[in-house]
Amino acid sequence: MGNLGAIWRHPDDFYPLLKLKMAARHAEKQIPPEPHWGFCYSMLHKVSRSFALVIQQLGTQLRDAICIFYLVLRALDTVEDDTSIPTDVKVPILIAFHRHIYDREWHFSCGTKDYKVLMDQFHHVSTAFLELGKSYQEAIEDITKRMGAGMAKFICKEVETVDDYDEYCHYVAGLVGLGLSKLFHASGLEDLAPTVLSNSMGLFLQKTNIIRDYLEDIDEIPKSRMFWPHEIWSKYVNKLEDLKYEENSIKAVQCLNDMVTNALIHVDDCLKYMSALRDPDIFRFCAIPQIMAIGTLALCYNNIEVFRGVVKMRRGLTAKVIDQTKTMADIYGAFFDFSCMLKSKVDRSDPNAEKTISWVESIEKTCWESGLLNKRKSYIIRDKPRYNSALIVLLFIILSIILAYRSGNQPSN
């Protein structure tokens, strides 16, 4: 009933949601028949359904390379995230991980649920990796080596300063941006992007995730994961976990707004990076997560719910972003709309209000000066729905029944 309620409130979400559902079904049918590639793409759908959808639009060679790149780094991240692994065991694995990807027999049991399956059957990923072109292999090995070393460094080091925070985010996400740029270049479809821009693409996504996932990370068992820099949160509370307590709500929101403002400094670089892309499929692959990030920051800003549960974009809006992001006009439009949303939430009494407004207005200025805002329709802020809510919900119910009937009557293999 949650989906029906959302569609009733936002009837324009219906068609993009339907297209997203059909795209997901189509993507699941495209899983290769070879056991190792079948495992990799099936696992990709399980550990990141949205990423699996976006990656499907890429050409076969680049798609395969990015699929393996993602799974290798997801496995590396699973080792880092598992707080039950002793440090003296974890650090050597992180440092040597770039060598394990060449070993068809290597695996290491850790993580939970689908991530444990990925680690237990990692030989499938290694087998697929060894079938990639040499330039793809070299790019993936280089980034894995550098990321593993960076993760190992921060296993033994706290995120104290904002510089530490930027360095940590560089290791776990900025390097992903660099790696993707290398893969795009290896494919022959793009020029090699400047390192600083590639790094910012990763930092913007990672900082958004760190902000959104505060509660999940702080409540991690058996040990909390703490990524918010001491230099920021110590201005508001004595301990990072104090932010989740109701008596600290005002200070918690002020700290949150400080963190969001810090993330906004990367937006200009991200817009420059995306404006230089030539291949339309690579463009969409890069643009969709960035729009999701600015949308998530707009929702999180000044929102105490970040410390109470999960704050994320509604599924219908996500479907619209995936369906309608095709040009730089769409990107500038989305960044402008979400920046306006964030700006409307700024409380002038907030300690960082002036700084936040300055960064937001800088983003708005960049979007205006592109000259492209009048070439897109806003799908984020709309005064009136174009369709009747009751009719949309009725169609949704009918199509759900048809899809369920068809699924139930398909012959089993």
Side-chain angles (χ1 to χ4, degrees), residues 376-405:
R376 107 299 182 200
K377 292 182 179 178
S378 172
Y379 55 85
I380 297 167
I381 301 171
R382 184 182 298 281
D383 294 329
K384 295 179 181 179
R386 291 182 293 172
Y387 311 113
N388 179 271
S389 298
L391 180 59
I392 291 292
V393 172
L394 179 60
L395 286 171
F396 179 82
I397 294 171
I398 292 171
L399 283 167
S400 297
I401 293 171
I402 292 171
L403 288 172
Y405 176 80

Side-chain angles (χ1 to χ4, degrees), residues 38 94 106 118 137 144 156-157 195 208 215 226 228 245 260 269 274 293 347 368 407:
L94 294 173
W106 186 85
L118 172 63
Q137 289 182 1
T144 305
C156 310
K157 176 181 177 176
T195 297
T208 300
L215 193 62
M226 300 186 182
W228 290 31
Y245 300 126
V260 171
D269 280 350
M274 290 183 285
D347 183 341
W368 270 117
S407 298

Side-chain angles (χ1 to χ4, degrees), residues 69 213 332-333 412:
F69 182 50
D213 294 341
Y332 286 127
S412 57

Side-chain angles (χ1 to χ4, degrees), residues 324-340:
Q324 300 182 20
T325 301
K326 296 179 174 65
T327 67
M328 275 306 298
D330 299 321
I331 289 182
Y332 286 127
F335 271 79
F336 183 83
D337 285 347
F338 280 126
S339 295
C340 289

Side-chain angles (χ1 to χ4, degrees), residues 298-364:
L299 290 174
C300 288
Y301 184 84
N302 214 39
N303 189 350
I304 191 62
E305 290 305 310
V306 171
F307 304 98
R308 306 287 183 263
V310 180
V311 175
K312 60 181 181 180
M313 288 170 58
R314 70 178 191 275
R315 186 165 175 77
L317 185 50
T318 299
K320 282 186 178 180
V321 171
I322 294 173
D323 180 49
Q324 300 182 20
T325 301
K326 296 179 174 65
T327 67
M328 275 306 298
D330 299 321
I331 289 182
Y332 286 127
F335 271 79
F336 183 83
D337 285 347
F338 280 126
S339 295
C340 289
M341 182 190 298
L342 195 157
K343 187 178 179 181
S344 71
K345 297 167 69 177
V346 175
D347 183 341
R348 292 286 178 171
S349 66
D350 185 272
N352 293 283
E354 288 187 15
K355 189 189 300 184
T356 305
I357 290 173
S358 175
W359 281 112
V360 169
E361 289 181 344
S362 175
I363 296 169
E364 291 175 338

Side-chain angles (χ1 to χ4, degrees), residues 70-88:
Y70 182 90
L71 290 177
V72 166
L73 299 188
R74 175 56 65 190
L76 184 65
D77 189 58
T78 300
V79 175
E80 186 212 19
D81 282 350
D82 193 331
T83 53
S84 68
I85 305 174
T87 299
D88 60 338

